[in-house]
Amino acid sequence: MRSARAMERGASEGGFVLALVVFMLFAIAVASATGYLVVSSEFMLGRHSRDGAEALTVARAGLERFVSETMGVLPDTTTYALGNGVAVVTTRRVYEEDGQTHIYYVRSEGTVDDIFTPGTPARRVVGAYATHHWRPVEHHAAVMIGADALSVEGGGQAHGIDYSTALDCAEGGGPRIVGAIARLSVTGQSPSDIQGSPPTRTWAGGWSAISDSIGVRWDVISDPNFPVDFENTLPSFGALPADSFPVIRYTGWVNASFSGRGVLLVDGVFDPNSSFSWDGIVLARHIDDAAQGQIDGMLVAGLEEPNMYSSVGLSIDVKYHACNVYAASESLSYLELMPHTVHEVN
């Protein structure tokens, strides 16, 4: 009898122990699953937070790159691959401030893909208002040289009379500008060589004042890493639209004997001969002391530093042509962020 009771009690205790073990295993499994979920959630939250911060960085970088690199016609949409993400920048014109500047809203959306959730990338958006300097070049004078003395001689001319008409463009036939500007003195062999309102002007502030006043970002457009339409070569102008005024950059000593139109950037010495002919704007770091040829537009030299020749004698014929200058100036248009307008879009 006792043996049977002992066996019954042993079986009962064994069943209890088994149930307790099963319960403990279940509790451990639940705790492990809960711990995994907590750790996994924290990992995903941390990863999402990191990807979100990276997406915000990509969005800001896309905005800054677009503003700093874009010149000329503003594209509606531009895409940049930046680090592990992509920035898509879009523009929308808000209003026209005047004939030279427009206000734009610029939006940059940054996305960063997550290998664990490829269909739902981290996404952040920033926006800002920017001034679009549509025609940035200031029409100060037909000829503007950062040299101490400028003389127009040998059949050369510096005319600030607008040789364009309203038939050429809406702004054609406008008011006269100054004929020629230099630092200390401007002279001509005859009264007809230099014409304008007034014919001459001195700018004693020096080359830096001249450079700053012209309205172009010379430090940017002269940088060899900054993309331009054509580098050290001319396009086939016949293949371009008639209203196309490209940006063409040459470096070094440029013995110019060609003809064309647009913005001619010379990051070196501009040395045109009698065969040179240009419609638009010529911007040069230096100009030779005996330049020849013809420009229907504007000539500015001595940018970023004093001209290599302190006295310059020009035999070149420069006639102010407002329509050519405006068309070329549009090719140099650029954006400038308005202060305190960069913000994150929720």
Side-chain angles (χ1 to χ4, degrees), residues 30 61 92 98 112 114 122 132 143 146 168 204 215-216 224 228 238 246 256 266 271 289:
V30 170
R92 175 172 56 87
D98 53 46
V112 174
D114 188 338
H132 182 220
V143 177
D168 297 316
V216 298
V228 294
V266 179
D271 183 13
D289 63 345

Side-chain angles (χ1 to χ4, degrees), residues 35-258:
Y36 171 79
L37 289 174
V38 170
V39 172
S40 178
S41 297
E42 289 181 350
F43 173 78
M44 293 303 293
L45 286 172
R47 188 177 187 87
H48 181 73
S49 177
R50 185 195 68 188
D51 289 347
E54 188 174 359
L56 179 60
T57 300
V58 169
R60 288 183 176 274
L63 176 67
E64 293 171 1
R65 179 172 173 180
F66 180 80
V67 170
S68 63
E69 290 186 359
T70 302
M71 186 175 69
V73 178
L74 288 182
D76 293 329
T77 303
T78 304
T79 302
Y80 300 109
L82 299 168
N84 296 321
V86 174
V88 178
V89 183
T90 56
T91 59
R92 175 172 56 87
R93 193 170 80 171
V94 179
Y95 67 92
E96 181 176 328
E97 192 171 67
D98 53 46
Q100 314 303 320
T101 55
H102 302 150
I103 303 301
Y104 273 78
Y105 182 71
V106 185
R107 181 181 185 274
S108 177
E109 179 178 291
T111 57
V112 174
D113 282 324
D114 188 338
I115 59 174
F116 296 102
T117 56
T120 56
R123 190 183 310 273
R124 301 285 284 273
V125 179
V126 295
Y129 289 94
T131 301
H132 182 220
H133 298 277
W134 180 43
R135 291 171 167 176
V137 177
E138 296 289 344
H139 298 214
H140 287 310
V143 177
M144 197 170 182
I145 307 293
D148 290 344
L150 169 63
S151 62
V152 179
E153 56 195 32
Q157 293 180 325
H159 285 185
I161 304 167
D162 188 1
Y163 279 78
S164 66
T165 70
L167 296 177
D168 297 316
C169 70
E171 297 81 7
R176 297 184 177 193
I177 62 174
V178 179
I181 294 176
R183 285 196 64 244
L184 303 178
S185 69
V186 182
T187 58
Q189 285 187 333
S190 69
S192 63
D193 290 344
I194 307 176
Q195 298 182 29
S197 180
T200 67
R201 183 181 172 190
T202 58
W203 205 307
W207 65 268
S208 59
I210 292 176
S211 178
D212 293 342
S213 71
I214 200 64
V216 298
R217 301 182 299 173
W218 175 257
D219 59 329
V220 174
I221 60 180
S222 62
D223 186 338
N225 295 317
F226 187 83
V228 294
D229 298 321
F230 299 93
E231 184 83 42
N232 290 317
T233 188
L234 291 175
S236 174
F237 287 101
L240 298 178
D243 60 351
S244 174
F245 279 67
V247 178
I248 303 163
R249 183 172 59 207
Y250 279 86
T251 56
W253 195 294
V254 181
N255 297 110
S257 59
F258 48 79

Side-chain angles (χ1 to χ4, degrees), residues 12-37:
S12 176
E13 291 175 352
F16 174 76
V17 171
L18 178 61
L20 181 61
V21 169
V22 171
F23 176 77
M24 291 298 295
L25 290 174
F26 175 75
I28 292 171
V30 170
S32 298
T34 302
Y36 171 79
L37 289 174

